[in-house]
Amino acid sequence: MQPETFASSLPVHWAGELLQLLPERALWWPAEQVLFVADLHLGKAATYRALGQPVPGGTTQENLARLDALIARLAPRRIVFLGDFLHAAQARTVLPTVADWRARHAGIAMTLVRGNHDSRAGDPPTALGIEVVDEPHLLGPFACCHHPQAHATHFVLAGHLHPACRLYGPGRDRVRLPCFVSEPGQAVLPAFGEFTGGWLMEAAPGRRFYAVGGAAVWALPASD
């Protein structure tokens, strides 16, 4: 699959591989047809409602519909979830919906790298056919992780932080956007899930930001 197929995505070269930063807040590895997704947090709204918080429903269906659209467009051979697949134990009420979604994509291999929320929510049922592994999970030149970290031999792909950046315009205009963040030896993906929030990351030597907004991804000027 050629880079020009994705006019709104941004090509980057990490660990000697061409990757595409997608405006859907996911990462595509064309050579191996692998889609990386971080921090799905399925059932987060259901968890809040179970705890008595009046939040709207429908986020699980929205998240899975966005995944459906990516699958239809990219035809991935494998999807790697970089942690926090389910939000909490209370989120397991959405598993019938997830099972229906998984059945529609039975031919795609799926791997979950356990995150901190997965340890509380529990592994997905084995009937879903999702391989569950601990970090770091090595895949080609990449160490698939949930938590950002250094690895001695592999380039780390991680989530957990739900990174966001701030852009400034004329006067006092400013906007906060989700972003991809790369540093020497690792990159952090934005949270894929709706209703997840974001953590504003500050500039640092060697750190690059790739903002997501307006159905596009673009590299921000380096600060060093």
Side-chain angles (χ1 to χ4, degrees), residues 42-43 46-47 50 86-95 117-122:
L42 293 175
T47 299
L86 291 172
H87 182 71
Q90 295 90 337
R92 299 183 78 84
T93 58
V94 306
L95 284 174
H117 279 266
D118 300 302
S119 64
R120 298 195 292 270

Side-chain angles (χ1 to χ4, degrees), residues 113 133-145 151 153-156:
V113 182
V133 298
D134 291 321
E135 61 181 2
H137 174 64
L138 304 185
L139 186 64
F142 302 111
C144 305
C145 301
H151 193 279
T153 57
H154 287 61
F155 187 94
V156 170

Side-chain angles (χ1 to χ4, degrees), residues 91-113:
R92 299 183 78 84
T93 58
V94 306
L95 284 174
T97 300
V98 177
D100 290 342
W101 172 82
R102 181 65 173 113
R104 297 198 303 272
H105 304 295
I108 302 174
M110 297 187 186
T111 301
L112 167 63
V113 182

